[in-house]
Tab-separated table of all heavy atoms in Angstrom:
chain	number	residue	atom	x	y	z
A	134	VAL	N	-38.875	-6.145	-1.568
A	134	VAL	CA	-39.513	-5.532	-0.433
A	134	VAL	C	-38.970	-4.123	-0.182
A	134	VAL	O	-39.656	-3.109	-0.086
A	134	VAL	CB	-39.420	-6.367	0.806
A	134	VAL	CG1	-39.871	-5.621	2.064
A	134	VAL	CG2	-40.285	-7.597	0.712
A	135	VAL	N	-37.648	-4.043	-0.166
A	135	VAL	CA	-36.959	-2.752	0.088
A	135	VAL	C	-37.229	-1.799	-1.042
A	135	VAL	O	-37.548	-0.621	-0.856
A	135	VAL	CB	-35.456	-2.950	0.294
A	135	VAL	CG1	-34.734	-1.596	0.429
A	135	VAL	CG2	-35.185	-3.780	1.584
A	136	GLY	N	-37.105	-2.292	-2.245
A	136	GLY	CA	-37.355	-1.474	-3.467
A	136	GLY	C	-38.748	-0.960	-3.539
A	136	GLY	O	-38.986	0.236	-3.857
A	137	LEU	N	-39.730	-1.811	-3.204
A	137	LEU	CA	-41.117	-1.346	-3.280
A	137	LEU	C	-41.483	-0.421	-2.210
A	137	LEU	O	-42.227	0.548	-2.411
A	137	LEU	CB	-42.013	-2.634	-3.226
A	137	LEU	CG	-42.125	-3.466	-4.510
A	137	LEU	CD1	-42.934	-4.726	-4.278
A	137	LEU	CD2	-42.717	-2.625	-5.647
A	138	LEU	N	-40.955	-0.616	-1.031
A	138	LEU	CA	-41.103	0.337	0.062
A	138	LEU	C	-40.558	1.735	-0.319
A	138	LEU	O	-41.241	2.705	-0.125
A	138	LEU	CB	-40.482	-0.138	1.378
A	138	LEU	CG	-41.238	-1.201	2.187
A	138	LEU	CD1	-40.412	-1.673	3.374
A	138	LEU	CD2	-42.562	-0.608	2.680
A	139	MET	N	-39.399	1.707	-0.842
A	139	MET	CA	-38.812	3.003	-1.288
A	139	MET	C	-39.602	3.593	-2.429
A	139	MET	O	-39.938	4.833	-2.409
A	139	MET	CB	-37.373	2.794	-1.800
A	139	MET	CG	-36.712	4.047	-2.317
A	139	MET	SD	-35.136	3.706	-3.074
A	139	MET	CE	-34.136	3.458	-1.659
A	140	PHE	N	-39.939	2.775	-3.447
A	140	PHE	CA	-40.693	3.234	-4.626
A	140	PHE	C	-42.069	3.783	-4.142
A	140	PHE	O	-42.513	4.892	-4.525
A	140	PHE	CB	-40.878	2.101	-5.596
A	140	PHE	CG	-41.952	2.356	-6.587
A	140	PHE	CD1	-41.670	3.206	-7.716
A	140	PHE	CD2	-43.158	1.765	-6.561
A	140	PHE	CE1	-42.654	3.507	-8.666
A	140	PHE	CE2	-44.144	1.989	-7.525
A	140	PHE	CZ	-43.877	2.876	-8.554
A	141	GLY	N	-42.777	3.035	-3.298
A	141	GLY	CA	-44.094	3.432	-2.845
A	141	GLY	C	-44.103	4.696	-2.079
A	141	GLY	O	-44.889	5.598	-2.257
A	142	SER	N	-43.084	4.804	-1.175
A	142	SER	CA	-43.063	5.922	-0.283
A	142	SER	C	-42.752	7.198	-1.045
A	142	SER	O	-43.429	8.255	-0.945
A	142	SER	CB	-41.974	5.725	0.767
A	142	SER	OG	-42.287	4.561	1.529
A	143	LEU	N	-41.697	7.130	-1.913
A	143	LEU	CA	-41.352	8.396	-2.685
A	143	LEU	C	-42.380	8.741	-3.676
A	143	LEU	O	-42.707	9.914	-3.877
A	143	LEU	CB	-40.011	8.112	-3.317
A	143	LEU	CG	-38.794	7.930	-2.385
A	143	LEU	CD1	-37.513	7.588	-3.214
A	143	LEU	CD2	-38.561	9.132	-1.491
A	144	ALA	N	-42.917	7.763	-4.406
A	144	ALA	CA	-43.897	8.020	-5.432
A	144	ALA	C	-45.205	8.672	-4.842
A	144	ALA	O	-45.708	9.673	-5.359
A	144	ALA	CB	-44.249	6.798	-6.266
A	145	VAL	N	-45.710	8.087	-3.737
A	145	VAL	CA	-46.957	8.567	-3.209
A	145	VAL	C	-46.716	9.924	-2.553
A	145	VAL	O	-47.590	10.826	-2.564
A	145	VAL	CB	-47.530	7.548	-2.259
A	145	VAL	CG1	-46.844	7.626	-0.908
A	145	VAL	CG2	-49.013	7.880	-2.067
A	146	LEU	N	-45.519	10.123	-1.979
A	146	LEU	CA	-45.272	11.430	-1.379
A	146	LEU	C	-45.128	12.505	-2.482
A	146	LEU	O	-45.625	13.704	-2.235
A	146	LEU	CB	-43.870	11.352	-0.559
A	146	LEU	CG	-43.505	12.654	0.077
A	146	LEU	CD1	-44.521	13.068	1.169
A	146	LEU	CD2	-42.182	12.462	0.754
A	147	SER	N	-44.615	12.122	-3.608
A	147	SER	CA	-44.452	13.204	-4.665
A	147	SER	C	-45.816	13.602	-5.255
A	147	SER	O	-45.968	14.741	-5.699
A	147	SER	CB	-43.593	12.641	-5.833
A	147	SER	OG	-44.198	11.538	-6.431
A	148	VAL	N	-46.827	12.687	-5.280
A	148	VAL	CA	-48.130	13.067	-5.840
A	148	VAL	C	-49.123	13.468	-4.851
A	148	VAL	O	-50.161	14.099	-5.140
A	148	VAL	CB	-48.697	11.844	-6.631
A	148	VAL	CG1	-47.728	11.430	-7.761
A	148	VAL	CG2	-48.919	10.619	-5.776
A	149	GLU	N	-48.910	13.151	-3.546
A	149	GLU	CA	-49.883	13.426	-2.482
A	149	GLU	C	-49.595	14.657	-1.610
A	149	GLU	O	-50.435	15.174	-0.913
A	149	GLU	CB	-50.130	12.213	-1.606
A	149	GLU	CG	-50.779	11.101	-2.272
A	149	GLU	CD	-52.273	11.369	-2.518
A	149	GLU	OE1	-52.893	12.039	-1.767
A	149	GLU	OE2	-52.768	10.832	-3.543
A	150	ARG	N	-48.300	15.070	-1.644
A	150	ARG	CA	-47.872	16.172	-0.739
A	150	ARG	C	-48.622	17.448	-1.042
A	150	ARG	O	-49.054	18.137	-0.053
A	150	ARG	CB	-46.359	16.369	-0.957
A	150	ARG	CG	-45.817	17.628	-0.137
A	150	ARG	CD	-44.413	17.879	-0.469
A	150	ARG	NE	-43.615	16.886	0.268
A	150	ARG	CZ	-42.328	16.543	-0.120
A	150	ARG	NH1	-41.798	17.126	-1.196
A	150	ARG	NH2	-41.671	15.697	0.569
A	151	ASP	N	-48.858	17.745	-2.289
A	151	ASP	CA	-49.566	19.009	-2.573
A	151	ASP	C	-51.000	18.862	-2.867
A	151	ASP	O	-51.662	19.820	-3.331
A	151	ASP	CB	-48.840	19.658	-3.828
A	151	ASP	CG	-47.353	20.020	-3.592
A	151	ASP	OD1	-47.111	20.281	-2.420
A	151	ASP	OD2	-46.552	19.839	-4.558
A	152	ALA	N	-51.581	17.624	-2.620
A	152	ALA	CA	-53.026	17.485	-2.873
A	152	ALA	C	-53.820	18.325	-1.790
A	152	ALA	O	-53.456	18.308	-0.638
A	152	ALA	CB	-53.365	15.995	-2.782
A	153	PRO	N	-54.912	18.874	-2.237
A	153	PRO	CA	-55.673	19.745	-1.291
A	153	PRO	C	-56.236	18.908	-0.059
A	153	PRO	O	-56.158	19.403	1.051
A	153	PRO	CB	-56.858	20.278	-2.164
A	153	PRO	CG	-56.330	20.195	-3.512
A	153	PRO	CD	-55.439	19.041	-3.609
A	154	ASP	N	-56.743	17.718	-0.366
A	154	ASP	CA	-57.271	16.888	0.776
A	154	ASP	C	-56.328	15.753	1.160
A	154	ASP	O	-56.745	14.822	1.848
A	154	ASP	CB	-58.583	16.270	0.241
A	154	ASP	CG	-59.661	17.342	-0.080
A	154	ASP	OD1	-59.584	18.409	0.602
A	154	ASP	OD2	-60.399	17.091	-0.981
A	155	GLY	N	-55.072	15.854	0.703
A	155	GLY	CA	-54.073	14.798	1.054
A	155	GLY	C	-53.738	14.786	2.527
A	155	GLY	O	-53.717	15.786	3.206
A	156	ASN	N	-53.430	13.604	3.096
A	156	ASN	CA	-52.947	13.457	4.487
A	156	ASN	C	-51.628	12.777	4.542
A	156	ASN	O	-51.235	12.290	5.611
A	156	ASN	CB	-54.014	12.655	5.271
A	156	ASN	CG	-54.357	11.351	4.616
A	156	ASN	OD1	-53.574	10.780	3.897
A	156	ASN	ND2	-55.600	10.889	4.852
A	157	ILE	N	-50.896	12.638	3.417
A	157	ILE	CA	-49.499	12.196	3.403
A	157	ILE	C	-48.655	13.349	3.035
A	157	ILE	O	-48.517	13.752	1.884
A	157	ILE	CB	-49.402	10.982	2.387
A	157	ILE	CG1	-50.362	9.879	2.691
A	157	ILE	CG2	-47.984	10.480	2.331
A	157	ILE	CD1	-50.352	8.769	1.645
Side-chain angles (χ1 to χ4, degrees):
V134 169
V135 174
L137 285 173
L138 280 174
M139 175 190 284
F140 166 75
S142 302
L143 295 176
V145 78
L146 181 61
S147 65
V148 300
E149 291 289 327
R150 171 185 287 160
D151 299 328
D154 300 328
N156 52 29
I157 301 176

